[in-house]
Amino acid sequence: MAKPKDKDKQGGTIALNKRARHEYHIDQRFEAGIELQGWEVKSLRAGRINFGDSYAMVIANEIQLVGTSIPPLISASTHVIANDRRTRKLLLHREEIDTLIGAVERKGYTLIPMAIYWKANKVKVEIGLAKGKQAHDKRDTEKERDWQREKQRTMRAHNRSA
């Protein structure tokens, strides 16, 4: 009889880019596959990834993920020379690629990876079509977040006393 598979390894989030929402206005999101090597998949299963400084860009009419670091496991294959910061091709439909290329080249958008997650034993990357925030926009976002938090505290305190 086969062993039951672990739910954590089958689906779920591998990593989130929390800085992206702080630094950018996200207008649209796309789900893309990512071209990985075997040792990279093993590292992702172990949760070893750093993509806080990464971004996606157009190279030769394809969308590539640049700056993502997937450090190899010690137990990974020794005959493979691992480059943990190599550019990785994102797998999208041609219409989506054309839409993204148009937005980046004509409208000045940036492609930012938002999350990396498992979906049916495949690794998916959520990329956001984004524009950079200025300093005053970041301050407004922080004020709004603090106000929402304070409002929740007040409501909880009021409901306890009632």
Side-chain angles (χ1 to χ4, degrees), residues 61-114:
N61 270 350
E62 294 178 342
I63 308 294
Q64 305 273 339
L65 189 62
V66 179
T68 302
S69 174
I70 302 176
L73 293 173
I74 296 170
S75 63
S77 181
T78 56
H79 66 278
V80 176
I81 299 170
N83 181 6
D84 66 328
R85 286 201 170 265
R86 71 179 184 89
T87 60
R88 295 166 179 91
K89 182 178 174 182
L90 294 180
L91 308 171
L92 293 156
H93 291 285
R94 177 49 56 188
E95 300 86 35
E96 293 174 327
I97 292 172
D98 293 340
T99 302
L100 291 173
I101 289 173
V104 168
E105 291 180 353
R106 290 186 203 98
K107 298 178 185 173
Y109 281 92
T110 305
L111 298 174
I112 302 295
M114 305 291 294

Side-chain angles (χ1 to χ4, degrees), residues 87-156:
T87 60
R88 295 166 179 91
K89 182 178 174 182
L90 294 180
L91 308 171
L92 293 156
H93 291 285
R94 177 49 56 188
E95 300 86 35
E96 293 174 327
I97 292 172
D98 293 340
T99 302
L100 291 173
I101 289 173
V104 168
E105 291 180 353
R106 290 186 203 98
K107 298 178 185 173
Y109 281 92
T110 305
L111 298 174
I112 302 295
M114 305 291 294
I116 295 182
Y117 53 93
W118 294 102
K119 184 175 181 183
N121 284 335
K122 306 237 182 328
V123 178
K124 299 291 183 175
V125 179
E126 182 182 40
I127 55 174
L129 197 57
K131 282 211 176 204
K133 284 185 182 178
Q134 295 180 351
H136 60 84
D137 293 331
K138 293 177 191 176
R139 285 193 299 268
D140 290 343
T141 304
E142 286 181 27
K143 282 182 188 175
E144 181 65 27
R145 188 176 61 233
D146 291 344
W147 164 242
Q148 292 296 332
R149 192 177 300 140
E150 188 62 37
K151 192 165 66 170
Q152 286 295 327
R153 283 186 189 138
T154 305
M155 292 297 288
R156 266 189 253 126

Side-chain angles (χ1 to χ4, degrees), residues 5-15 31 44-45 47 116-124:
K5 299 222 176 176
D6 212 3
K7 293 282 184 198
D8 295 336
K9 291 185 179 181
Q10 287 295 323
T13 304
I14 299 169
E31 181 182 71
L44 288 176
R45 286 199 190 279
I116 295 182
Y117 53 93
W118 294 102
K119 184 175 181 183
N121 284 335
K122 306 237 182 328
V123 178
K124 299 291 183 175

